[in-house]
Amino acid sequence: DGGITQSPKYLFRKEGQNVTLSCEQNLNHDAMYWYRQDPGQGLRLIYYSQIVNDFQKGDIAEGYSVSREKKESFPLTVTSAQKNPTAFYLCASSISPGGTGELFFGEGSRLTVL
Amino acid sequence: QKEVEQDPGPLSVPEGAIVSLNCTYSNSAFQYFMWYRQYSRKGPELLMYTYSSGNKEDGRFTAQVDKSSKYISLFIRDSQPSDSATYLCAMIPTDSWGKFQFGAGTQVVVTP
């Protein structure tokens, strides 16, 4: 079945450590996204990518980094520079770089900083 | 002020009732509108996708868009306990690729 796979589902990190969240899709979608979800807030865009080897900052990119070396993969690194990293992270993809296509989401990764 | 406003709820209804959800927005450039359902600790699932103004029906779900009032709605008929979830509205303008804007989500509880 086609879909988006995020791993790990739960992750604990000590302050000062970098962590990388994995996102893999087999939908053959061109565009991929990372969102952060906090209680009582809408999804906020961290980074997005229209094509391989290209990505753009979203609204809250500070303290995060991404890469897009393969069409199927869009990993997110939460660096120690991110001041409040505890959150639910969602990866998404859409078929069209034209921007009007529907978003499809993975199951999410919950990061907790100890 | 947020571009998309959505009442967080919770909205509690008895089984079989109609659930009425809505979002308001401020950017008149929004042209594509979506509703997502999100169960606890899961990723959002696309329910409805509409373009511009009008109605769209899919089974028990009806989405309405009123661009003149900058207002979108989702109705769920014959609600079931399995409809208990958070419902997110989302929209995207034609002039800002990739910049989907989401409401904060409305928590719905359907009681048996």
Side-chain angles (χ1 to χ4, degrees):
Chain A
D1 289 337
I4 301 173
T5 302
Q6 288 187 241
S7 63
K9 288 190 184 303
Y10 299 95
L11 184 62
F12 297 89
R13 185 194 96 174
K14 293 181 180 179
E15 286 193 22
Q17 288 181 336
N18 294 353
V19 294
T20 297
L21 307 179
S22 171
C23 178
E24 302 279 333
Q25 55 102 354
N26 60 3
L27 300 168
N28 199 33
H29 285 176
D30 289 305
M32 297 187 73
Y33 311 75
W34 274 104
Y35 287 92
R36 170 178 172 144
Q37 187 175 34
D38 296 284
Q41 299 196 37
L43 276 64
R44 291 184 290 167
L45 182 63
I46 305 173
Y47 269 97
Y48 63 100
S49 168
Q50 302 178 54
I51 56 173
V52 174
N53 293 322
D54 186 54
F55 48 82
Q56 288 77 43
K57 292 182 179 180
D59 299 320
I60 57 165
E62 185 176 350
Y64 300 98
S65 66
V66 294
S67 63
R68 186 88 186 275
E69 297 177 0
K70 298 187 299 182
K71 186 176 184 178
E72 302 78 19
S73 179
F74 192 40
L76 173 74
T77 297
V78 184
T79 75
S80 57
Q82 169 49 235
K83 298 304 180 188
N84 185 20
T86 294
F88 190 51
Y89 291 89
L90 288 160
C91 179
S93 69
S94 65
I95 191 169
S96 167
T100 59
E102 303 96 304
L103 280 178
F104 295 89
F105 286 88
E107 290 290 272
S109 293
R110 184 168 299 279
L111 172 63
T112 302
V113 173
L114 303 174
Chain B
Q1 183 185 2
K2 294 180 181 178
E3 281 196 272
V4 181
E5 297 283 354
Q6 184 177 10
D7 189 328
L11 177 63
S12 183
V13 299
E15 184 176 356
I18 294 175
V19 176
S20 176
L21 304 166
N22 59 75
C23 289
T24 59
Y25 62 93
S26 56
N27 187 350
S28 58
F30 287 135
Q31 291 284 352
Y32 300 87
F33 304 90
M34 289 144 275
W35 284 95
Y36 288 85
R37 177 176 63 196
Q38 185 176 24
Y39 292 114
S40 181
R41 300 186 181 88
K42 298 289 188 181
E45 169 195 11
L46 181 66
L47 283 177
M48 300 288 283
Y49 176 85
T50 55
Y51 169 70
S52 199
S53 286
N55 292 0
K56 183 175 182 179
E57 189 171 318
D58 185 1
R60 297 185 296 115
F61 299 93
T62 299
Q64 291 184 348
V65 175
D66 182 348
K67 291 195 68 186
S68 63
S69 301
K70 297 189 180 67
Y71 188 91
I72 67 170
S73 301
L74 178 71
F75 300 97
I76 308 173
R77 292 182 298 280
D78 188 25
S79 58
Q80 304 295 312
S82 58
D83 294 325
S84 298
T86 296
Y87 291 80
L88 303 163
C89 64
M91 48 200 78
I92 185 169
T94 53
D95 60 352
S96 186
W97 185 91
K99 295 297 185 72
F100 293 84
Q101 293 294 327
F102 287 84
T106 298
Q107 183 185 0
V108 172
V109 179
V110 181
T111 55

